[in-house]
Amino acid sequence: MNVSDSFKDPELCKKLLEQLHNELDAPLRFMEVCGTHTVAIFQSGLRPLLPKEIVHLSGPGCPVCVTHESEVAAFLDLAGKDGVILATFGDLMRVPGPKGRNLKLAKAEGARIEIVYSPLDALKLAQDNPNDTVVFLGVGFETTAPTIAASIQMAKQQNITNFKVLSFHKLVPPALKVLLEDPECAVDAFLLPGHVSTILGIEPYQFVAERYNTPGVITGFDPVDILESLLIMVEQRKKGKASIVNQYKRAVSDSGNAKAREIMFSVFDIAEAQWRGVGTIPESGLIIKNEYEEFDALKALDITLTEVPQTPGCKCGEVLKGKMQPNDCPLFAKACTPAKPVGPCMVSTEGSCAAYFKYQVTA
């Protein structure tokens, strides 16, 4: 058995599950804030094996799911402009905006929209289309922001002035603070995101334990990782002393990636941001610095975010805040399915509603 397979070892998982059942002495509501964790917990089959007193909540960790309605409206407005090519990651194509419209429909109607796998693909698109303005739709968390910042630096170095970025990036720690200050969320512990933490390290999460006495465990995506993390949470709860633990040391340094943060903050400033279903969170977004404003689509193309009514009946906001399980939404698996999603949590493969649907969770 190689090292990677050892984190999926059925016998080890069985022992960890037995230990978890034995040591749990009170109900535990844990929330993961990473779309990959959402999928991993369902895909591994762990969820139905956990003690019934452990409640799994999916928080605002799916980039597509937290993209605000007004931001999707801005994407659609841009798609309708002459001389503009949108470059986007594929999972944004079907996110519903005003009146149920999305980028996939806009493309079918003639908008120039290209799916890319990296912001460097968008940069190449701009080089290949010098008479058009190529706008990369910048969504996501601290994981993707450094590479997008680097692409802006490269555009400046190479004088590719028809390359723009519409930055709607989000930062994870401020969202955790909002959740912790909402008494209706009632989160006992956080399963902290592995990918984001490769950039951030431990320090930005310390307030979770120090100020709110809530355990947080940075973990990987294999069954052993997740079970070990749950055991750490249970142990901390029993001792009554919360801390932030890095269980994912094979990938995450306690200090994170200083170079990636340097690149990110050389291009972006921290600002408030709108989160779907949560609202405006101070200091939770990234905007492009004035030094790079020629590459800022908001300024260069005079984009203004407008107030957009929430989608009627959609409960994605309540799901993202841990106040409702996806299958408690009255639209779930009826009016809202992956084939015809009403809300973004049913669109992305990392969305909790899509996971509940795929794995046929009914209770």
Side-chain angles (χ1 to χ4, degrees), residues 59-123:
C62 159
V64 167
C65 303
V66 300
T67 300
H68 197 269
E69 292 94 337
S70 64
E71 295 170 344
V72 179
F75 301 159
L76 292 168
D77 286 344
L78 271 178
K81 291 183 180 292
D82 292 334
V84 170
I85 302 174
L86 297 188
T88 179
F89 295 139
D91 52 1
L92 268 182
M93 291 295 289
R94 297 174 62 242
V95 177
K99 299 180 180 178
R101 288 180 53 77
N102 58 35
L103 291 174
K104 185 178 181 180
L105 179 59
K107 182 177 176 68
E109 293 173 345
R112 300 169 71 189
I113 303 172
E114 298 292 334
I115 295 174
V116 296
Y117 296 95
S118 159
L120 297 182
D121 293 340
L123 198 60

Side-chain angles (χ1 to χ4, degrees), residues 209-241:
E210 293 172 358
R211 195 181 311 167
Y212 299 97
N213 196 35
T214 300
V217 186
I218 297 168
T219 193
F221 307 96
D222 290 317
V224 168
D225 293 318
I226 294 164
L227 289 171
E228 281 188 347
S229 298
L230 291 174
L231 278 166
I232 292 170
M233 295 175 189
V234 169
E235 182 181 350
Q236 289 191 25
R237 287 285 302 279
K238 289 172 77 171
K239 292 181 177 179
K241 178 67 175 176

Side-chain angles (χ1 to χ4, degrees), residues 128-145:
D128 293 343
N129 294 271
N131 297 321
D132 295 303
T133 300
V134 173
V135 180
F136 179 77
L137 305 182
V139 302
F141 299 113
E142 292 91 340
T143 313
T144 55

Side-chain angles (χ1 to χ4, degrees), residues 8 65 166 173 207 215 225 227 237 253 260 277 282 300 303 315 336 343:
K8 304 179 181 72
C65 303
L166 188 55
F207 75 94
D225 293 318
L227 289 171
R237 287 285 302 279
S253 163
I303 298 168
K315 301 296 183 183
C336 184

